[in-house]
Amino acid sequence: MKRFILIAAFILSALGSYAQHSEIFAPDGKAIKGYDVVAFFKEGKPVVGVDSLVYKYKESDWLFASRTNLEAFKAEPEKFVPQYGGYCAYGTSEGHKAPTQAETWTIVDDKLYFNYNMKVKNSWSKNQKERIDKADVQWPLIKDSKP
């Protein structure tokens, strides 16, 4: 019984660490694990933001690698905020939230998407348009739920 309680406590702790605000994937309060979302569009790669360049949006801290990126985000946050709050696009299409990894990023029609891991990204990419259409329907239903 003691072992079960320890395992349950670990699982709840792990889930709680990225559920700071359910609409945005923000482990420890940092949106997209602290990656600069503007950099995906401007530099075409994941770039970690710095704690000194932070902007509070949708109850999460968004970090940036440059003041220019921070100002671009402040001017038009919805242009850069990932679809489905940065949760897994494939998972969202299936009706649930799942954490993501920065290296799974994709930009489709000027919108940023992430996936759980590279294997899931490959599956999502095979029927991307259909998955996006499904996720667009599911997101309003699940966005305020806990991951």
Side-chain angles (χ1 to χ4, degrees):
M1 182 65 162
K2 189 174 185 179
R3 187 175 187 187
F4 172 77
I5 292 170
L6 287 172
I7 292 170
F10 174 77
I11 291 170
L12 290 174
S13 172
L15 290 174
S17 71
Y18 75 87
Q20 296 295 322
H21 183 261
S22 63
E23 185 179 347
I24 303 296
F25 175 58
D28 301 320
K30 293 181 180 179
I32 319 304
K33 297 182 183 177
Y35 281 88
D36 179 338
V37 291
V38 176
F40 290 100
F41 292 90
K42 291 188 173 185
E43 297 182 40
K45 65 181 180 181
V47 177
V48 177
V50 295
D51 289 328
S52 61
L53 295 172
V54 63
Y55 182 68
K56 183 74 98 179
Y57 182 73
K58 292 193 175 185
E59 299 181 35
S60 298
D61 291 335
W62 298 78
L63 277 58
F64 302 92
S66 71
R67 179 142 316 273
T68 302
N69 287 3
L70 168 63
E71 295 303 325
F73 184 86
K74 284 170 73 173
E76 295 182 89
E78 290 303 318
K79 177 179 179 179
F80 301 105
V81 170
Q83 299 303 291
Y84 324 122
Y87 288 99
C88 176
Y90 185 97
T92 301
S93 74
E94 293 291 312
H96 64 86
K97 291 179 177 177
T100 54
Q101 298 176 3
E103 63 272 6
T104 66
W105 70 282
T106 305
I107 295 176
V108 179
D109 296 329
D110 294 322
K111 295 178 182 179
L112 180 60
Y113 297 87
F114 290 98
N115 279 282
Y116 179 73
N117 60 28
M118 292 305 288
K119 182 178 178 182
V120 171
K121 179 185 177 180
N122 290 335
S123 294
W124 179 75
S125 296
K126 290 177 184 172
N127 54 355
Q128 202 174 68
K129 178 160 179 16
E130 178 185 328
R131 287 286 173 187
I132 290 171
D133 290 345
K134 284 182 177 182
D136 287 348
V137 170
Q138 290 295 322
W139 181 242
L141 305 174
I142 67 170
K143 81 176 187 175
D144 293 323
S145 67
K146 291 191 179 194

